[in-house]
Amino acid sequence: MRPILLAAVAALSLTACYDRNDAKPQSAPEPQAAATLGGVDLGKPVRALGTEPFWGVEITPDALIYTRVDQPPQRAPNRGATVQGTVATFASSTDLNQALNVVLIATECSDGMSDRTYPLTAKVEIGDDTLTGCAAPASMLTAQPAP
């Protein structure tokens, strides 16, 4: 009978260590606010653009889409921005295996061809090219067409 008694005591000891709260699902972490740079919500579509040569990058929540007049469009996944002070950097790789880095800086910018002022300055590195231009929320560009 002693072995049965020892087994019962051991089973009760293990049961006493079980905490029902360990089996309950943990609540999801609080969602983090989207990064903001120079008053621009980077969680919403942003458009960077430049001239000579004419180029553009659409920054959507899912993708970075690079276009240039003399080249085929390239698409890269948006892995989110790394924001440090007044600079946000999007780093990815396009569907044509080119590194694509988009750097947005919280300084006003003029595209040099219109009277429009943009809230951000943009620098794009794609492959061996480095392009400079301006950026703004896509909603601002559609609401205020270039003069």
Side-chain angles (χ1 to χ4, degrees), residues 8-141:
V9 170
L12 286 174
S13 297
L14 290 175
T15 305
C17 293
Y18 174 74
D19 183 359
R20 286 188 182 264
N21 289 330
D22 288 344
K24 289 183 182 177
Q26 300 294 319
S27 60
E30 289 295 315
Q32 294 182 348
T36 302
L37 183 71
V40 176
D41 181 352
L42 299 180
K44 294 185 177 175
V46 174
R47 178 149 173 80
L49 52 94
T51 58
E52 299 180 31
F54 287 102
W55 61 270
V57 176
E58 293 286 335
I59 302 170
T60 69
D62 299 326
L64 307 173
I65 304 160
Y66 168 78
T67 55
R68 186 167 156 172
V69 174
D70 57 346
Q71 297 177 357
Q74 295 186 55
R75 185 179 182 91
N78 183 347
R79 297 184 178 116
T82 301
V83 180
Q84 295 181 329
T86 60
V87 178
T89 304
F90 295 84
S92 196
S93 181
T94 72
D95 50 2
L96 297 178
N97 287 332
Q98 288 195 319
L100 174 61
N101 296 309
V102 180
V103 178
L104 303 177
I105 305 161
T107 57
E108 281 192 349
C109 180
S110 171
D111 61 17
M113 295 193 70
S114 70
D115 292 332
R116 180 182 281 164
T117 301
Y118 299 81
L120 304 173
T121 297
K123 180 173 115 176
V124 173
E125 297 170 336
I126 183 161
D128 295 331
D129 293 334
T130 299
L131 307 163
T132 57
C134 303
S139 60
M140 179 186 123
L141 297 177

